[in-house]
Every structure is written in structure tokens, then in C-alpha cells.
Amino acid sequence: MPLIALCAGDGIGPEVAAEAVKVLKAVDAKHRIGFEFMEAPVGGGAYDLFGTPLPAESLAKAKKADAVFLGAVGGPKWEKLDYSVRPERGLLGLRSELDLYANIRPAKMFTPLIDASTLKREVVEGIDMVVIRELTGDIYFGKPRGVEKYEGGKRGVNTMVYTTPEIDRIARVAFEIARKRRKKVCSVDKANVLECTELWREVVTEVHKEYQDVELSHMYVDNAAMQMIRNPRQFDVVLTGNIFGDILSDEASMLTGSIGMLPSASLNGKKGMYEPIHGSAPDIAGKGIANPIASILSMAMMLDYTFDQKQAAREIEDAVARVLDKGFRTADIYSPGTAKVGTTEMGNLIIKEMQ
Ligand code: NAD
């Protein structure tokens, strides 16, 4: 039985997770995949109940499951807690315990939402890229790190570190994904000034020898940040390290409009954690107006990457596109002349379209 651990989380997390699960169950009823779900509390709510944002039982369930779905964690209630028990530690703990080294964030323009973008129509029309961000290495984990006393003042240190195997495995993920798309990988680094990313470029180029059907280009990160705004359609698969990917994937996602639309996957082979890219949105939690589409599309990614149910994944994506085509919008993507709907209604409309 395909097993899914459900970490609904805090704020709008449970609201959007409920719609995503509803959609997945509807897919399951049609395709008879036989999903089983296990609730695994993570985040601020888990801290309130168990004194830790990642209870051992939840971690065990996440390890046992084939895939994990996470709504969102965090909120003002827990902001004063010690860093070590903040809700976000639950999320980071899951990523590192499951060694989810490949973060995959598609940024695709849904034509009916073009006007929700802050950029001009002719720039954003047809955007369809995936940012592949290495997630378990780089400056966030490298040592030495910390702040120390230094010549009467202080000195802050973080260290950018990548090893050949770390670069090799993420490069393979990018080339494999590119093979199923437009067969173009742009590897982003700062090889002109950072030795660590010089190694990155060298290893990516070496791995590419096994993927000669895919076109490889290299770009410095400062240029990539600029090109993403200037001509985002040039990108198919963007491959990059943890810190550059952190920034570029947010930039790419905002090209296409609302944060409420964008799914993500963090993978280690077939095993993956799937989550919307947005947070717990405390400002709208409990109002029934959150956009569940990012979560619903995260379930489509789960069907695709972990369960190899391509047809079912496309059915969800097509249903989302048709609902938007028909003019239904949650508040975050609403524009005059369209029909405003709440979280639950959006979920229901997508299920209806699939049927
Ligand atoms: P956020 O993504 O929660 O919200 C930013 C803005 O986008 C808000 O105005 C919010 O209302 C809106 N928004 C977000 N998701 C939406 C949706 N689905 N539909 C409609 N509007 C949506 O970011 P934030 O306000 O910086 O963070 C709030 C909390 O979430 C913090 O505690 C933060 O640490 C946490 N956070 C968690 C994750 C995660 O769980 N993966 C990611 C980012 C932030």
C-alpha cells in the first residue's frame, strides 16, 4: 500500500492540506491506487502538544512513509521560543533526517493569471521552468560557522562547502528531469570568484558527459538573477546550490503571480516531501480564503515523482488549469470580472473538473 505521512502544520496549513487530501482521494477513487494516510504532527501545534516541533513518532512515520505531505508551519504564537524548538526546526529536521537533497520548484505561468504577475505580459507569457536547488549542503551547513570575539569586536563566519558526490547526485537529478522536458539545463554558480562553485562547475560538466542529449549552459548567479527578470522564457531547468537556489527559486516563483499557486518537492530518490512554497499565512488563517492550489499541485508532483502516476498527476494539473480558465479565483489571485471563491470551494471545483 502506498503510504503518505500527513503533516498539516499550523495556520492555513491544515486548511490547504484538507483540500489537497480531498483531491488526492478523488484521484485515488478513480485510479484505484490505494493510498493510506498517517497523521504526523509537526510544527507549532506539535510543540504545544509534545514539547517539540518534530516528535519522534512523527519522524518515525515520515521515515516509514513513501511520501510526506506538509502544509506549512510557524506563526506569531511561537516566535519567542528558543530557536531549537521553533516550528521551522520541525521542517528543517524532516529535510535533514530524510536526507532530502533535491528541492524541485516548478514555476509555470497559467495563462489566465498573466495579469496577476508584476511583470509585463510579453515577458511572462509561456514561462515554464523548474529550479533544482541542492538542499542539504552549502553555506547553511558548512563548518566553521558562528560568531566569535575578534580584535575587540566580533567576527561572523559561515563556510561554503560542497563535495564531489553532493554535486554529482544533484546534477543527475537535473539532467534526468531535463530529459523529460525541453532538454536544457542552466547551471548557476559564481565560479569566477568562489573556488567551491568552480568545483561545482567542473563536476556538473563531468556528469554532463553522460547526458549528451541535454544541452548544458553555465551562468553566474548575478547574471541569472537578472536574466530571470529580463527573459525568463529562456530557462528550462535551472540547477544550483543551496544558497543561490534559495534566492533564485523565490524570484522564479514570483514571476508567475501568487505564492499560493506554487508547489514544491524535496527528494531523495523516489522518496519525497511535498509542500506548497508558502508559509502558514497567519494573517488569513481561519478565514477560509487561503488558496489551496499550491498544495493540490504538490500532490500532483507526489503522484509524478514518488508514485509514477503520470496520468493522474496530469489530470490534477489540467483540472486546475480549467477551473482558472472558467474564471474561478481565490482572493489572492482575484481580479475584477472573475468569480471569488473560498478554500473549500476551490477544492470542490477542482474535483468536479477532474470528474
Ligand atoms: P507566508 O508565505 O505565510 O505569507 C506571505 C503572504 O502571502 C501573506 O500575506 C499571506 O497571507 C500570503 N499567502 C501565503 N500563502 C497563501 C495562500 N495559500 N493563499 C493566499 N495567500 C497566501 O510568509 P510569512 O508571512 O513570511 O510567514 C508566516 C509564517 O510561516 C512564519 O512563521 C514563517 O516562519 C512560516 N513559514 C513557513 C514555511 C513552511 O512551512 N514551509 C515557509 C515560509 C514561512
Side-chain angles (χ1 to χ4, degrees), residues 7-17 43-44 69-76 78-79 87-88 91 95 105 250 253-254 258-264 275-286 289-295 298 332 343:
C7 311
D10 311 312
I12 62 167
E15 299 170 41
V16 292
F69 176 84
L70 186 129
V73 296
W78 302 284
E79 265 165 18
E88 292 75 9
L91 171 62
R95 284 181 184 161
R105 278 200 194 180
D250 267 23
S253 62
M254 276 322 289
S258 168
I259 199 167
M261 294 291 299
L262 294 154
S264 78
E275 49 180 322
I277 71 160
H278 60 74
S280 58
D283 52 336
I284 57 166
I289 58 169
N291 186 346
I293 292 179
S295 292
S298 298
D332 56 313
T343 311

Side-chain angles (χ1 to χ4, degrees), residues 23-159:
V23 169
L24 196 66
K25 285 186 172 164
V27 164
D28 200 12
K30 185 170 169 197
H31 291 268
R32 297 180 190 284
I33 306 163
F35 288 120
E36 266 188 31
F37 298 91
M38 297 178 285
E39 305 258 347
V42 168
Y47 173 81
D48 289 346
L49 286 173
F50 307 103
T52 163
L54 180 53
E57 200 183 321
S58 296
L59 178 60
K61 284 178 179 171
K63 283 187 171 168
K64 187 173 169 214
D66 300 294
V68 179
F69 176 84
L70 186 129
V73 296
K77 183 178 174 196
W78 302 284
E79 265 165 18
K80 298 241 154 50
L81 287 178
D82 184 72
Y83 186 66
S84 62
V85 288
R86 292 243 184 107
E88 292 75 9
R89 295 309 298 174
L91 171 62
L92 295 176
L94 275 177
R95 284 181 184 161
S96 67
E97 287 285 337
L98 302 177
D99 194 20
L100 302 170
Y101 64 88
N103 184 237
I104 298 170
R105 278 200 194 180
K108 186 173 173 176
M109 192 79 225
F110 284 93
T111 310
L113 296 185
I114 282 182
D115 295 327
S117 173
T118 47
L119 297 187
K120 287 186 197 140
R121 170 178 280 267
E122 57 269 31
V123 175
V124 294
E125 200 161 26
I127 290 177
D128 182 5
M129 74 174 99
V130 182
V131 179
I132 315 276
R133 165 188 172 195
E134 201 288 331
L135 205 57
T136 52
D138 207 342
I139 197 162
Y140 298 130
F141 298 92
K143 288 189 178 135
R145 63 182 300 157
V147 178
E148 59 194 20
K149 288 213 168 93
Y150 181 75
E151 289 178 3
K154 284 182 179 177
R155 194 171 88 110
V157 180
N158 288 96
T159 310

